[in-house]
Amino acid sequence: MEASPLTQQTRPEFLQPKIVGLYEILFREDESVEKPRGFWREFFLLRPDTASLRRIMGDMNSVLSKKYTNPFSDIIVVLAGLDDVDMVFTEFVSVLDTVIRNGRNVGVRQKAVKAAMSITSGAYQTGLVSYLTHRDLFPSLMKRQLVHDVDTPSQAFEPFVLLGLLANYNKFEFQNPYRLRLEDFVNDATIRKLVQSFGFTCTVARHKYITVQDDLPEGWTISNTLSYIGLGALSGGKPATPVLDEDEAKDLFAALPGPEAATLLSTYEFANANKLFCYDLVTLPPENKHDASAFGGFLSWTSYLLQHAHRSSRASLYTYLDLFILQILLEDQILAKRICGDESRTSVRLCRQRQPYLPFVRGERVLAAIILDIMVDGLNHNLRRRLDIQLYNLSVGVLARTFQVYHWSELWRSLLSFIRFLATYADHLKPLPEMSALINSLVNLIALSLSTGESFLPDPASYDDLFYKLVESGDVLFKFKDAYELSKHSSSSSIDTLISVSSHYYALLEAEKGKVKSKNLSPREVSKVIKQGYETLSIQAKEGLDVWEKFREADHRALLKKIARFAVADVKTLVSS
């Protein structure tokens, strides 16, 4: 007797409708597995099970996060169908607007905001977001969600991020109505809530870096001493936080910043469009005097971002946004005066997770000095053969806009060390795009400090130190000029100024060595020669060194589009979590 061709299949643990199994196949994560033959025929013939579909999808992000061959048309087919898309999405956005404006409680309204974030981030590269720009959710988001019903800064985070995405959407291709809304918005109470929300987010984002490595310098205590010699249990203090090994810390740092960094895109859009937002961002005091202000939180997070910017392209792009924001703020004369004035004094925690460290300053300082610290730290910690030219261009640009009370010796050392680095690796760096612009900005900045230092440096010693460091770097300046062929460059006048000053004082110091018959001069003798050299020194700096091009968004169009793509991906992560 022949064996039966039929085989008994394993009985499943539980029975489920066939359509539910098809739903699970449709939304599974493994895209490489092909759908069984006749899948779509069965799918549309079977009766829908809406409860199971809702459970499997969770939210609209399940549809929008899938990879489609033709995203625009495929997403429309799944969500609405090609024939009904206009009617369905117009009604959908209308319902969202109504719920955000008049939902029965804050929780329901926030779910509607999250649904809007899901459709905006998931369909950002399609035309579906245009339905949200035609409807204009701005009044609902700003008047109801952010003013009347928000009790904590964290509740304003999602509407703020949503507005940033909508204002950024295709703004270089058409006149974005949300951008116009941002320019005209003058409700100070609402803007203050946005600023508070941003400051809260900055503190949360910075804490993730501190969790990986707590970098706050500790003062001397008996507990610290006992712990150092292995007798920490006698102190009765809390056990020390375990220190991660280098590889673990490197992996954790590489994953930062978290998806909440998408808020930087919103902050940039507001800062670039709304003067009142910029003013409140800089001047708004903290609700609790023991907490950092929103701007202080932003600067603190920026210092951590900038010190770790080299770890990933994503971190670099968000750092660019921070530097764009700082440039916009410093180009406003009223805000620049405030940032450089004594009324801005505050205490900000800056990143100290990698050497070399800048001098640790306890207590309050003017904001300008804090910004200078952050920029100098960025110059010191992102030196690579594959130099991030954009990062250094922006950092030098911020330095050129910020001069105030500072430990100037560290600034001169960092700038001239950077020139030494550029001269050493000229063969690798010279072909990089925008290298010429970076060299021009760097050399002009040092020449400007030479020619106008008396007007902003606090004492003659700081001015003398700049001249002495130029003398020390004399050989490097010649090498730097030759390596980059600066005699043919627009900055030739500035590099010649630096070399002439260095050569002038080098000759005087050599002459003084001959008089005292010694190979080395004491610091007092060097200082004396530098002061005497002022009488015979002539600095021929070119005009216009104190003038820089103002920030123009169109100059960074491609870069901002790239940043927006990363922000959209982070918003998808926020929605799905």
Side-chain angles (χ1 to χ4, degrees):
M1 185 176 177
E2 294 183 3
S4 172
L6 302 177
T7 57
Q8 184 175 4
Q9 295 182 344
T10 304
R11 183 182 294 273
E13 294 182 5
F14 59 90
L15 298 175
Q16 67 177 12
K18 181 65 178 290
I19 187 63
V20 176
L22 298 182
Y23 289 154
E24 292 174 348
I25 293 174
L26 178 62
F27 296 114
R28 65 187 168 195
E29 294 184 3
D30 188 356
E31 303 284 348
S32 61
V33 180
E34 293 186 4
K35 297 178 179 61
R37 186 177 180 183
F39 174 85
W40 291 110
R41 183 179 179 84
E42 280 189 295
F43 186 87
F44 289 111
L45 284 175
L46 293 171
R47 184 187 298 276
D49 186 335
T50 54
S52 297
L53 180 60
R54 188 178 296 111
R55 173 182 59 80
I56 293 170
M57 288 178 62
D59 57 31
M60 208 173 308
N61 214 46
S62 301
V63 177
L64 300 174
S65 62
K66 289 179 66 64
K67 295 179 180 178
Y68 296 96
T69 306
N70 301 297
F72 185 38
S73 59
D74 290 350
I75 289 175
I76 288 175
V77 168
V78 174
L79 292 179
L82 288 173
D83 295 334
D84 301 322
V85 60
D86 197 52
M87 179 189 69
V88 170
F89 266 88
T90 300
E91 185 177 354
F92 170 70
V93 175
S94 176
V95 170
L96 280 181
D97 187 23
T98 302
V99 175
I100 293 172
R101 186 188 299 267
N102 300 314
R104 63 179 179 270
N105 55 49
V106 175
V108 171
R109 289 196 283 274
Q110 286 183 328
K111 286 183 179 179
V113 171
K114 194 169 184 179
M117 289 174 65
S118 179
I119 193 69
T120 302
S121 60
Y124 206 73
Q125 303 302 322
T126 75
L128 293 178
V129 183
S130 61
Y131 288 95
L132 292 166
T133 60
H134 293 158
R135 177 70 185 191
D136 189 10
L137 301 179
F138 192 89
S140 301
L141 288 168
M142 299 299 271
K143 293 180 181 178
R144 289 287 299 177
Q145 182 71 15
L146 292 178
V147 177
H148 296 287
D149 303 314
V150 170
D151 300 319
T152 62
S154 61
Q155 290 179 326
F157 170 77
E158 290 178 347
F160 185 47
V161 170
L162 175 59
L163 282 173
L165 289 185
L166 293 173
N168 182 269
Y169 177 72
N170 281 353
K171 64 179 180 180
F172 294 110
E173 283 72 34
F174 78 111
Q175 195 171 38
N176 188 306
Y178 286 95
R179 173 61 184 266
L180 299 177
R181 284 287 202 169
L182 296 186
E183 292 175 355
D184 297 335
F185 193 66
V186 291
N187 188 319
D188 192 47
T190 302
I191 290 177
R192 284 171 175 261
K193 289 203 171 188
L194 289 173
V195 170
Q196 289 170 350
S197 173
F198 174 62
F200 175 81
T201 305
C202 289
T203 302
V204 171
R206 182 205 64 185
H207 184 70
K208 292 184 177 181
Y209 285 92
I210 297 173
T211 301
V212 178
Q213 179 186 343
D214 191 351
D215 58 340
L216 186 66
E218 295 184 4
W220 181 89
T221 64
I222 293 177
S223 298
N224 291 345
T225 305
L226 291 174
S227 297
Y228 182 75
I229 61 176
L231 299 175
L234 299 178
S235 67
K238 295 181 180 179
T241 304
V243 178
L244 301 175
D245 64 47
E246 186 175 348
D247 290 336
E248 288 179 321
K250 184 177 180 181
D251 292 340
L252 291 173
F253 279 133
L256 295 175
E260 65 279 353
T263 192
L264 288 172
L265 181 65
S266 302
T267 306
Y268 165 77
E269 294 295 343
F270 268 89
N272 197 35
N274 193 293
K275 294 290 186 184
L276 182 57
F277 179 88
C278 293
Y279 180 82
D280 282 340
L281 176 60
V282 173
T283 62
L284 188 66
E287 293 183 324
N288 186 329
K289 69 162 111 180
H290 299 294
D291 296 333
S293 65
F295 194 55
F298 167 64
L299 292 179
S300 181
W301 185 25
T302 298
S303 75
Y304 284 82
L305 264 176
L306 191 53
Q307 194 165 117
H308 295 281
H310 64 279
R311 296 190 183 276
S312 69
S313 58
R314 181 171 165 276
S316 296
L317 290 170
Y318 278 125
T319 306
Y320 300 161
L321 269 187
D322 276 12
L323 298 175
F324 287 150
I325 294 168
L326 285 174
Q327 283 196 7
I328 291 168
L329 296 176
L330 290 166
E331 286 175 1
D332 186 303
Q333 292 186 357
I334 296 175
L335 293 181
K337 185 177 180 181
R338 170 89 181 194
I339 288 171
C340 296
D342 284 338
E343 66 271 21
S344 74
R345 299 182 74 87
T346 188
S347 178
V348 174
R349 176 172 180 168
L350 300 181
C351 183
R352 296 175 62 84
Q353 292 179 328
R354 296 176 60 220
Q355 294 183 350
Y357 302 129
L358 290 175
F360 181 70
V361 181
R362 296 187 182 275
E364 297 181 342
R365 290 190 296 164
V366 294
L367 288 171
I370 295 169
I371 293 172
L372 284 171
D373 255 359
I374 295 170
M375 295 305 108
V376 171
D377 233 16
L379 292 179
N380 292 336
H381 290 111
N382 291 285
L383 293 174
R384 298 290 184 277
R385 284 193 180 185
R386 296 184 63 182
L387 194 69
D388 190 338
I389 303 295
Q390 185 71 44
L391 181 71
Y392 276 82
N393 258 327
L394 293 173
S395 299
V396 172
V398 172
L399 283 173
R401 293 161 172 80
T402 317
F403 279 124
Q404 195 37 246
V405 177
Y406 191 60
H407 25 254
W408 294 105
S409 178
E410 292 295 328
L411 177 59
W412 310 142
R413 182 191 62 77
S414 297
L415 291 176
L416 292 170
S417 294
F418 186 35
I419 284 184
R420 185 185 301 275
F421 173 83
L422 294 177
T424 303
Y425 297 104
D427 292 340
H428 296 276
L429 301 175
K430 193 175 178 181
L432 295 178
E434 298 188 40
M435 193 66 198
S436 177
L438 173 60
I439 290 173
N440 189 52
S441 299
L442 178 63
V443 174
N444 285 345
L445 175 61
I446 301 176
L448 174 65
S449 303
L450 273 179
S451 59
T452 63
E454 290 178 314
S455 64
F456 64 83
L457 291 172
D459 50 55
S462 298
Y463 202 32
D464 295 347
D465 187 57
L466 172 58
F467 285 99
Y468 181 67
K469 282 187 167 55
L470 275 177
V471 175
E472 287 184 320
S473 304
D475 293 339
V476 175
L477 293 174
F478 279 106
K479 182 180 177 182
F480 179 69
K481 179 181 178 180
D482 294 338
Y484 291 94
E485 300 177 344
L486 296 187
S487 56
K488 307 174 185 178
H489 201 275
S490 60
S491 58
S492 59
S493 176
S494 293
I495 190 65
D496 288 340
T497 299
L498 302 184
I499 290 175
S500 66
V501 170
S502 177
S503 300
H504 173 78
Y505 277 105
Y506 181 79
L508 292 178
L509 290 170
E510 289 297 311
E512 185 67 20
K513 288 179 184 178
K515 290 179 183 178
V516 299
K517 297 180 180 180
S518 172
K519 291 184 178 180
N520 299 307
L521 299 177
S522 67
R524 180 176 296 179
E525 289 171 329
V526 171
S527 177
K528 179 182 177 182
V529 171
I530 289 175
K531 290 176 181 177
Q532 290 175 346
Y534 289 151
E535 299 174 4
T536 55
L537 177 66
S538 175
I539 299 177
Q540 302 294 331
K542 69 177 183 180
E543 297 182 359
L545 292 179
D546 57 344
V547 178
W548 55 83
E549 291 186 9
K550 287 200 170 185
F551 176 78
R552 290 179 68 251
E553 188 176 55
D555 294 340
H556 307 280
R557 175 174 177 171
L559 185 60
L560 287 167
K561 285 189 172 185
K562 190 174 181 181
I563 293 171
R565 287 195 292 271
F566 276 89
V568 167
D570 282 335
V571 173
K572 287 183 183 178
T573 303
L574 289 169
V575 172
S576 62
S577 62

